[in-house]
Amino acid sequence: MNAKSRWLRRFRRAGATELDTGRGDLVVVASSFDDAEACSTVLGRAENWTADQPAVLRHHLRVPAEQVNAVQIIAEQEGYETVSPDAADTLILQRVRVLDAMHCAQDHSRMVALAHRHDGQALGWDALQPAARQPGEKK
């Protein structure tokens, strides 16, 4: 195995996975809009979260309209894409990754700092995964 193949395998293992963010069966499996709550606590109580499967991690930010483009440019450099906002003044940034408490906390911390540097605030985060199928349910 050459160096490029090893790097690509490590990169994929680190969370760069495939999951169509437009799937109709994605449901919220974990969320926190409380800065005092640790990601490990949130994920620890998440009932439908599958730890070894990719998730869509979404961060909800409130930033002034004149700062939105700058925030989007920086977030895109980290692999985030912009989702249509759920409210007029809320910017939602998302990316796909295999979610764990450490990476969730790191990403949340980055989003808090990003929002703060652009006169905004990070409201919280949520994670989506495909809805669990019930035994006997057809695909």
Side-chain angles (χ1 to χ4, degrees), residues 57-124:
L57 178 59
R58 299 188 308 184
H59 296 277
H60 303 253
L61 309 177
R62 182 171 293 138
V63 293
E66 63 273 5
Q67 297 290 339
V68 168
N69 190 48
V71 168
Q72 289 173 310
I73 290 169
I74 293 169
E76 284 175 7
Q77 293 172 0
E78 296 214 14
Y80 282 91
E81 64 182 6
T82 302
V83 181
S84 298
D86 62 357
D89 61 348
T90 303
L91 176 64
I92 301 174
L93 301 171
Q94 72 180 17
R95 75 172 170 176
V96 175
R97 69 174 313 133
V98 173
L99 192 59
D100 62 45
M102 181 185 74
H103 290 104
C104 181
Q106 287 174 337
D107 283 6
H108 177 62
S109 179
R110 285 185 188 116
M111 291 297 132
V112 168
L114 178 62
H116 181 72
R117 284 192 314 267
H118 292 88
D119 302 320
Q121 72 181 95
L123 303 173

Side-chain angles (χ1 to χ4, degrees), residues 8-60:
L8 187 57
R9 202 169 81 204
R10 277 196 313 268
F11 180 71
R12 286 189 179 133
R13 217 177 342 170
T17 57
E18 294 297 319
L19 176 64
D20 181 3
T21 59
R23 288 176 60 154
D25 65 339
L26 293 177
V27 295
V28 175
V29 295
S31 69
S32 178
F33 289 80
D34 178 357
D35 275 343
E37 187 172 37
C39 292
S40 58
T41 302
V42 175
L43 295 175
R45 75 165 186 268
E47 294 181 17
N48 297 316
W49 168 55
T50 306
D52 62 345
Q53 295 299 311
V56 179
L57 178 59
R58 299 188 308 184
H59 296 277
H60 303 253

